[in-house]
Amino acid sequence: MVIDRQARLVEVESWGDYFLFTFYSPEIARQAQPGQFLMIKVSENTQPLLRRPISLHNAEENQLQIFFQVAGTGTRLLSMKKPGESIDLLGPLGKGFSLQPELSGREIFCVGGGRGIAPLYYLARKLRSSGARPVIFYGGRSRTDLPLKNRLQTTGFEVLVSTDDGSDGFPGLVTSLVEAELKKRQPAYLYACGPDPMMEKLAEICRRKNLEAQFSLESIMGCGFGACWGCVRKIRRNGQEKYLKVCQDGPVFPLEEIVWQESNDG
Ligand SMILES: Cc1cc2nc3c(=O)[nH]c(=O)nc-3n(C[C@H](O)[C@H](O)[C@H](O)COP(=O)(O)OP(=O)(O)OC[C@H]3O[C@@H](n4cnc5c(N)ncnc54)[C@H](O)[C@@H]3O)c2cc1C
Ligand code: FES
């Protein structure tokens, strides 16, 4: 059931353009699954008119968290909210990550690029409580793009970081770090969220290594619940290519269903 609720913002943490918000929202927290998202009304007036999609970063007891990076007008307005304010949240929306029961006891790679780390913390918590061993890969352009590194480490996860400029961790792309680790260990599964070029490269690596995976995709969204067709992407399902709604059929899709480009074999 999708809930439309005013939720009280209880805490704001920030690092430059990155924000971690904690809301009191027992109803949504009770139903939330990793990989699902909220449509957030960022303004009391019609500018901007549309809500903005943001992943659930965590849900625990009566609280929800989101982690976002300011990208434009909507996220800038959101970043200006203060503790004590009420914000209109619609959610939880979409189909999140499915946690395969046979992954218990196995090592699982969770790969996040930039703000794509947002849904992976909640996923990693659920994987750990189901007995799996998540390894979190966190890639950014520079060390200032890894604001959640300490939080992930202090909650006891194995965290491997990379920076394009070499200012922290592995010097280079997070996909190169994943490739390097795949020479040393054999995970049972891979989950990912990040920019399309990162995910397309990861898809190629997973296919080459015969590694099953699920990816959380982004798309421009109008409604967030299947009414506007604004978010469609080409997906290959049951042997047929068709346009599916990222908001309703996703945002998480199995690797083999994603069609990256016309020229690509997906
Ligand atoms: C399912 C889903 C979950 C998301 N989760 C998060 C999250 O947890 N944290 C986070 O920081 N961001 C997340 N995003 C991206 C976020 O929704 C966009 O950055 C935001 O909507 C941009 O709105 P804006 O008004 O600030 O910027 P705009 O002024 O609307 O756009 C600024 C730039 O962002 C691009 N953009 C706009 N909307 C989207 C979109 N929906 N997806 C991708 N690019 C977009 C535009 O093309 C433009 O280049 C998610 C997107 C989706 C679809
Ligand atoms: S955002 Fe409207 S149908 Fe997906």
Side-chain angles (χ1 to χ4, degrees):
M1 191 180 66
V2 174
I3 299 161
D4 186 358
R5 271 293 145 82
Q6 291 288 327
R8 187 163 46 84
L9 181 57
V10 287
E11 193 181 355
V12 172
E13 288 173 72
S14 65
W15 306 263
D17 272 353
Y18 294 94
F19 291 80
L20 178 68
F21 278 14
T22 305
F23 294 99
Y24 177 79
S25 185
E27 293 91 346
I28 299 181
R30 211 173 299 128
Q31 291 191 36
Q33 297 296 327
Q36 289 189 299
F37 65 98
L38 303 167
M39 287 298 276
I40 304 183
K41 197 166 186 305
V42 294
S43 157
E44 291 310 308
N45 56 46
T46 53
Q47 292 298 326
L49 183 62
L50 298 175
R51 292 168 180 262
R52 294 297 191 258
I54 300 288
S55 305
L56 286 160
H57 174 65
N58 196 20
E60 218 168 352
E61 296 177 3
N62 293 326
Q63 296 196 333
L64 286 180
Q65 288 184 313
I66 58 168
F67 172 74
F68 65 94
Q69 182 181 19
V70 172
T73 312
T75 42
R76 179 159 300 108
L77 285 168
L78 186 61
S79 73
M80 290 157 71
K81 306 284 183 194
K82 299 280 176 269
E85 285 189 56
S86 284
I87 301 177
D88 189 331
L89 306 181
L90 184 65
L93 294 162
K95 290 199 174 67
F97 297 104
S98 64
L99 275 60
Q100 324 287 29
E102 69 274 19
L103 298 182
S104 181
R106 313 283 305 277
E107 198 163 67
I108 314 293
F109 282 9
C110 300
V111 186
R115 69 187 191 209
I117 196 72
L120 300 182
Y121 173 64
Y122 190 20
L123 171 69
R125 276 191 52 230
K126 288 279 180 178
L127 284 168
R128 185 165 63 185
S129 59
S130 71
R133 287 183 291 126
V135 180
I136 300 178
F137 290 75
Y138 188 8
R141 289 203 178 109
S142 186
R143 59 187 310 172
T144 50
D145 294 306
L146 305 173
L148 294 185
K149 179 183 148 185
N150 288 346
R151 169 182 164 86
L152 296 170
Q153 283 173 335
T154 53
T155 42
F157 289 111
E158 179 179 358
V159 184
L160 302 177
V161 303
S162 69
T163 48
D164 301 356
D165 67 3
S167 52
D168 196 1
F170 177 90
L173 299 173
V174 71
T175 49
S176 306
L177 175 58
V178 170
E179 277 199 291
E181 287 301 310
L182 283 172
K183 291 184 181 140
K184 301 183 220 157
R185 35 175 141 186
Q186 282 191 316
Y189 209 87
L190 183 146
Y191 295 93
C193 183
D196 260 21
M198 174 198 111
M199 305 248 269
E200 196 171 349
K201 177 67 185 169
L202 271 182
E204 183 259 306
I205 295 168
C206 289
R207 280 197 300 270
R208 194 159 22 91
K209 295 284 184 184
N210 225 358
L211 181 58
E212 281 190 81
Q214 289 171 37
F215 289 1
S216 180
L217 300 182
E218 281 195 8
S219 180
I220 305 283
M221 291 192 176
C223 65
F225 49 82
C228 74
W229 287 86
C231 62
V232 293
R233 274 188 71 149
K234 203 187 252 186
I235 296 294
R236 185 182 300 123
R237 188 166 281 179
N238 304 325
Q240 281 189 323
E241 284 187 3
K242 43 191 159 190
Y243 285 94
L244 294 185
K245 296 169 185 169
V246 172
C247 69
Q248 223 175 24
D249 301 297
V252 178
F253 292 91
L255 161 68
E256 65 277 8
E257 288 193 349
I258 302 168
V259 180
W260 297 101
Q261 283 172 359
E262 299 296 336
S263 59
N264 213 316
D265 68 359

